[in-house]
Amino acid sequence: VVGVDGTPNSLAALRRAVYQARKHGAPLNIVYVIPAGASEAAEASGCEMLEMALRHVTPDATGGLADRIVARGEPGEVLVRLSAQASMLVIGARIHSEYGNLLGGDVMPYCLAWASCPVDICADQRAHGGQPAHAAAARGSRRARSDAR
């Protein structure tokens, strides 16, 4: 199970999870969590974001490898619940924390405390400013085009 929210660190987590799933021939659940009261439009947007993130991380179309899940609730609780039978939970670190936690946010400490499987925490060391997946993908596309000239 991998939690993805479109940030560079969640994309690093997705890359790691895809690698591990391929290496071990394991199934992969890619999860985006929205608030319990979110609209159907937010759910559809979450599905689109997961597709975009997967295409960005695995341009070789590894789509069949992963189930995409948009779940409602608190992110930490949802990820722990969905990873109950998993061999690993992979999440991205937060660069900036409004909670004063060096690891960032409240999702990571919750997962570390309550997950029944190992938790792998990833960070994209090249990340700048917490751009969402679509911005990172666009930045990469512009770079590829300018390098080709």
Side-chain angles (χ1 to χ4, degrees), residues 53-142:
L54 192 58
R55 280 194 311 271
H56 177 69
V57 169
T58 61
D60 61 345
T62 313
L65 171 75
D67 287 329
R68 296 124 181 111
I69 300 168
V70 176
R72 296 172 184 268
E74 291 297 320
E77 294 173 13
V78 169
L79 291 170
V80 165
R81 180 175 42 83
L82 292 177
S83 67
Q85 302 301 316
S87 59
M88 180 180 290
L89 171 60
V90 186
I91 56 178
R94 286 281 182 222
I95 295 172
H96 305 292
S97 172
E98 60 195 56
Y99 300 98
N101 180 334
L102 291 176
L103 294 175
D106 59 350
V107 174
M108 189 179 315
Y110 188 90
C111 291
L112 287 170
W114 296 103
S116 58
C117 62
V119 176
D120 193 353
I121 301 165
C122 301
D124 182 348
Q125 301 302 320
R126 303 164 297 166
H128 297 284
Q131 292 179 320
H134 62 277
R139 186 181 71 231
S141 297
R142 283 193 299 271

Side-chain angles (χ1 to χ4, degrees), residues 16-26 57-63 65:
R16 171 111 22 111
V18 167
Y19 171 79
Q20 291 295 331
R22 286 177 174 168
K23 179 178 176 183
H24 299 289
V57 169
T58 61
D60 61 345
T62 313
L65 171 75

